[in-house]
Amino acid sequence: MNTLYNKEPEIRINGKDREIWAGYASIAAELRRKSEGQAKTVLAIECYPGVRLREIEEGIRLHMPIEAVFHAEDAAIDAERREAKMSRYLTDDRVFGYMAPFTVDEFYDESKLERLRERIERVSHGLVVIIGFGASLAAEPDVLAYADLARWEIQQRYRSKENGNWLAGNADEDLLRKYKRGFFVEWRMADRLKQAVLPRADYYLDTNAKDRPVMATAGALFAGLEQAAAQPFRLVPYFDPGVWGGTWLEKHIGLEPKPHPYAWGFDGVPEENSLYFRYGDIRMELPALNLVFFQSAHLLGERVVERFGAEFPIRFDFLDTVGGQPLSLQVHPHKAYIREHFGMAYTQDESYYMLEAEDDAVVYLGLKEGIDAERMIGDLEKAQQGGFTFPAERYVNAYPAKKHDHFLIPAGTVHCSGTNGMVLEISATPYIFTFKLWDWDRLGLDGKPRPVHLEHGRKNISWERTTAWVNDNLVDRVEPLGEGDGWTEERTGLHELEFIETRRHWFTGKVPHHTQGTFHMLNLVEGDEAVVESPEGKFEPFAVRYAETFIIPASVGAYTIKPGSGSRSGRLATIKAYVRS
């Protein structure tokens, strides 16, 4: 078991230990201090959708008197108008919508807001709390707090049916539809509001753990973000069971056994992963997206920001089929298609790096020569209707896969991982845009057929990507680039159609790297432990272990990687990804 893998990586923040409070008693004491000497204090608690509003209200009230509480959502437009606004962007599809351009004020009634402000104004003394998603619209507060939580925690609340979507009353609805509403509408709107409100907030409130809030001054939060964007760091990983899951993650990372095996491991997806900031004895969890939003240039680099905006365009994740089943046969949309149909600016180009592989591991990639496209689509349609098994190997190449092989998968290429592979997936970020073509005659963990999007898929298959083209363009494209004292560098892809550059370094000594004005995302794919250092002493030495993904911000500039003291193997290797110039 690889117990060295750190499942709870932290960033220790310097100099702000006195600007953080854990638990409602300590938070209330700080709020009392903040309001001392004032006859009336208006506290606005702006919230990300999914925050437990009642818990916050009751938790504060338990430790300090509150004269009045107002709920921002009382001023929202009615349900019929909300649904009419959202319907075009939600669509009838179970999985896919269209990226919505809304801001939160579009869902509030100005006359209701004005009446709410008048009610707040009529309270003459004491602590007055306005809380909810949109609370900052309802008052000019004396104290402004922002209550936040991570995307993964939101999804857990969807799954447990504790929460539905914002004002939707749909806690019991299909999980995929709840996720779709969050992804395409709510989270986009909430992220725009966060970017506007948080820089003027007094406090930041971490509400991820039930009844265990953590509050920091906004100054302490932003100091932490600034520090994180100047040093190597890791995201907080999470792991999820799936119908095709394997045994590698549980065995080698030391995960709690589940009734269904782990299929996915996410330790390099800033849109969904968290960060842990450690201030003295208190740990605070925050969405990694906060770093992307508020330290864009230092983290991503100006060239990447100019191209993608405040988005982290690369992700690393794990796909575990060791002792499990194949992934669904799938294809990703072309750039023009994803832009036209879903409102995304770029598409899900990707690759499979084989972190581990059993002797019989395969990757399905590209189409065989001379196949009949209409016959293949006809067979896929019959398989979707049931009673017919799609003959995948009649149409799709199956390549033997061994450890350290790298398979390139530009959008439009039919592909999936077969059984007995442990894949490090290196991908562009719009990661829900997978068009399943066939799912090997199985049901999802919910007992329902997993969604197949054959109509989208057939319009995006690049039929010319057959065996000869795949062999020339997508398999075994290793190009030696250079070497030094104790290291060699190779280019392993990606294809010219993709914007991600990947480099592999084999090393027994110290390897020089430089960000060249863009972020680097890396994984230690061989060896027990490596250490990242700054030649200029900009940051403390940073240790990484086998299979850990880590990020080097653009602002770091020069850095080195060398074998760590805990490394028992001779030769180590990293795979590095960045945005190609």
Side-chain angles (χ1 to χ4, degrees):
M1 180 182 293
N2 180 17
T3 54
L4 292 176
Y5 182 96
N6 184 0
K7 296 189 285 294
E8 298 186 6
E10 298 178 345
I11 302 172
R12 184 168 289 278
I13 307 304
N14 302 320
K16 296 292 181 179
D17 297 6
R18 296 185 178 182
E19 296 183 38
I20 191 161
W21 302 268
Y24 284 112
S26 296
I27 290 170
E30 169 59 17
L31 293 175
R32 283 197 302 273
R33 185 200 65 77
K34 186 75 171 176
S35 60
E36 281 176 354
Q38 301 181 57
K40 174 183 175 181
T41 299
V42 176
L43 167 64
I45 305 176
E46 182 59 76
C47 299
Y48 207 86
V51 167
R52 296 180 175 109
L53 306 182
R54 181 174 295 180
E55 178 197 305
I56 296 173
E57 176 187 339
E58 293 177 353
I60 295 173
R61 192 188 294 275
L62 187 63
H63 297 284
M64 66 184 298
I66 298 177
E67 188 65 25
V69 175
F70 298 94
H71 297 98
E73 281 89 348
D74 289 345
I77 61 176
D78 61 58
E80 185 176 353
R81 291 167 63 194
R82 287 196 304 272
E83 294 305 312
K85 273 180 173 288
M86 292 184 184
S87 60
R88 174 193 167 192
Y89 298 93
L90 291 176
T91 76
D92 293 329
D93 191 281
R94 186 182 174 200
V95 175
F96 299 121
Y98 192 92
M99 299 296 276
F102 299 124
T103 53
V104 69
D105 56 287
E106 297 178 69
F107 289 85
Y108 275 80
D109 185 306
E110 186 55 42
S111 62
K112 290 182 179 179
L113 278 173
E114 189 55 40
R115 289 195 293 273
L116 184 57
R117 293 180 189 119
E118 290 171 358
R119 292 171 60 201
I120 294 170
E121 184 67 25
R122 286 199 293 269
V123 181
S124 61
H125 65 280
L127 178 65
V128 180
V129 176
I130 175 74
I131 188 170
F133 177 44
S136 57
L137 302 175
E140 286 294 332
D142 302 297
V143 181
L144 176 59
Y146 188 91
D148 208 358
L149 77 169
R151 293 272 173 84
W152 179 234
E153 175 59 24
I154 294 172
Q155 291 177 65
Q156 296 300 89
R157 296 180 192 184
Y158 286 167
R159 291 182 182 188
S160 69
K161 300 186 179 182
E162 173 189 350
N163 275 17
N165 296 100
W166 182 61
L167 297 182
N170 65 339
D172 292 328
E173 191 178 25
D174 174 20
L175 173 63
L176 292 179
R177 292 188 182 277
K178 288 191 285 189
Y179 182 89
K180 177 186 71 170
R181 194 179 182 103
F183 183 91
F184 287 98
V185 178
E186 287 175 21
W187 300 343
R188 308 306 149 190
M189 184 164 55
D191 289 344
R192 294 183 186 104
L193 183 63
K194 179 190 288 188
Q195 291 175 77
V197 169
L198 193 48
R200 56 187 175 89
D202 299 289
Y203 297 104
Y204 179 82
L205 190 60
D206 160 20
T207 71
N208 285 282
K210 186 174 177 60
D211 296 319
R212 289 187 287 133
V214 172
M215 187 176 79
T217 65
L221 169 71
F222 281 103
L225 295 173
E226 183 177 354
Q227 181 182 322
Q231 65 185 56
F233 64 90
R234 290 189 59 228
L235 306 176
V236 180
Y238 67 89
F239 305 90
D240 207 21
V243 66
W244 42 262
T247 60
W248 195 94
L249 287 168
E250 180 181 322
K251 179 179 178 181
H252 292 272
I253 292 181
L255 302 177
E256 174 190 354
K258 297 279 189 180
H260 299 282
Y262 293 94
W264 293 277
F266 298 95
D267 73 344
V269 188
E271 178 145 332
E272 297 217 358
N273 285 112
S274 299
L275 294 168
Y276 283 152
F277 281 3
R278 167 71 65 176
Y279 298 85
D281 295 332
I282 299 175
R283 184 170 80 182
M284 182 172 76
E285 182 176 2
L286 62 149
L289 264 178
N290 291 356
L291 185 62
V292 180
F293 291 153
F294 298 110
Q295 288 289 326
S296 300
H298 289 103
L299 173 65
L300 303 172
E302 292 182 0
R303 173 165 55 85
V304 176
V305 174
E306 179 68 22
R307 185 170 177 183
F308 295 96
E311 287 193 33
F312 201 97
I314 299 175
R315 70 183 181 111
F316 279 20
D317 61 86
F318 300 126
L319 308 171
D320 181 3
T321 68
V322 175
Q325 303 175 32
L327 277 66
S328 59
L329 193 67
Q330 59 194 245
V331 67
H332 299 300
H334 290 289
K335 293 182 180 70
Y337 194 90
I338 199 172
R339 184 169 55 247
E340 177 183 351
H341 289 81
F342 308 112
M344 298 293 296
Y346 58 105
T347 193
Q348 191 169 326
D349 294 315
E350 64 186 27
S351 66
Y352 287 169
Y353 190 93
M354 303 307 296
L355 192 66
E356 300 283 352
E358 301 292 317
D359 291 341
D360 58 348
V362 297
V363 166
Y364 293 87
L365 187 63
L367 303 172
K368 291 192 172 180
E369 302 290 354
I371 66 164
D372 184 315
E374 288 306 312
R375 183 178 178 186
M376 176 175 161
I377 293 297
D379 281 353
L380 286 167
E381 288 173 340
K382 283 197 295 182
Q384 189 174 358
Q385 293 163 8
F388 174 78
T389 295
F390 178 71
E393 295 197 11
R394 178 188 298 169
Y395 295 104
V396 184
N397 301 305
Y399 288 91
K402 61 183 185 300
K403 183 176 173 65
H404 295 303
D405 282 349
H406 198 179
F407 298 91
L408 315 183
I409 313 171
T413 309
V414 175
H415 68 282
C416 74
S417 174
T419 59
N420 285 331
M422 180 60 198
V423 173
L424 172 64
E425 185 178 45
I426 301 172
S427 171
T429 299
Y431 56 94
I432 74 165
F433 296 95
T434 297
F435 301 147
K436 297 183 180 72
L437 303 174
W438 184 55
D439 204 30
W440 308 89
D441 296 330
R442 64 192 170 201
L443 301 176
L445 296 184
D446 58 4
K448 301 176 183 177
R450 299 212 303 160
V452 172
H453 287 91
L454 192 51
E455 282 305 307
H456 286 309
R458 69 191 301 170
K459 296 172 184 175
N460 284 277
I461 294 172
S462 294
W463 296 100
E464 75 281 4
R465 294 183 189 167
T466 54
T467 308
W469 190 90
V470 172
N471 289 341
D472 290 343
N473 290 273
L474 306 183
V475 179
D476 293 329
R477 297 192 72 202
V478 178
E479 176 187 355
L481 291 179
E483 59 183 81
D485 184 14
W487 60 268
T488 60
E489 180 182 13
E490 301 169 334
R491 182 177 186 273
T492 67
L494 275 54
H495 190 265
E496 286 74 11
L497 293 171
E498 305 177 73
F499 68 79
I500 303 171
E501 180 74 10
T502 52
R503 302 287 178 90
R504 180 169 57 204
H505 289 81
W506 297 98
F507 57 101
T508 56
K510 184 179 292 187
V511 187
H513 295 260
H514 200 290
T515 61
Q516 302 294 340
T518 185
F519 73 92
H520 290 172
M521 181 171 264
L522 303 95
N523 189 284
L524 184 65
V525 294
E526 186 71 41
D528 298 309
E529 182 183 73
V531 176
V532 186
E533 295 178 321
S534 168
E536 302 163 347
K538 288 184 177 180
F539 54 81
E540 294 295 318
F542 181 77
V544 294
R545 283 87 180 183
Y546 179 61
E548 291 183 351
T549 295
F550 56 105
I551 295 170
I552 309 292
S555 65
V556 165
Y559 65 99
T560 63
I561 302 179
K562 68 178 184 180
S565 59
S567 190
R568 296 163 294 180
S569 56
R571 189 170 69 153
L572 288 75
T574 56
I575 188 78
K576 175 173 72 177
Y578 56 92
V579 176
R580 185 181 293 144
S581 298

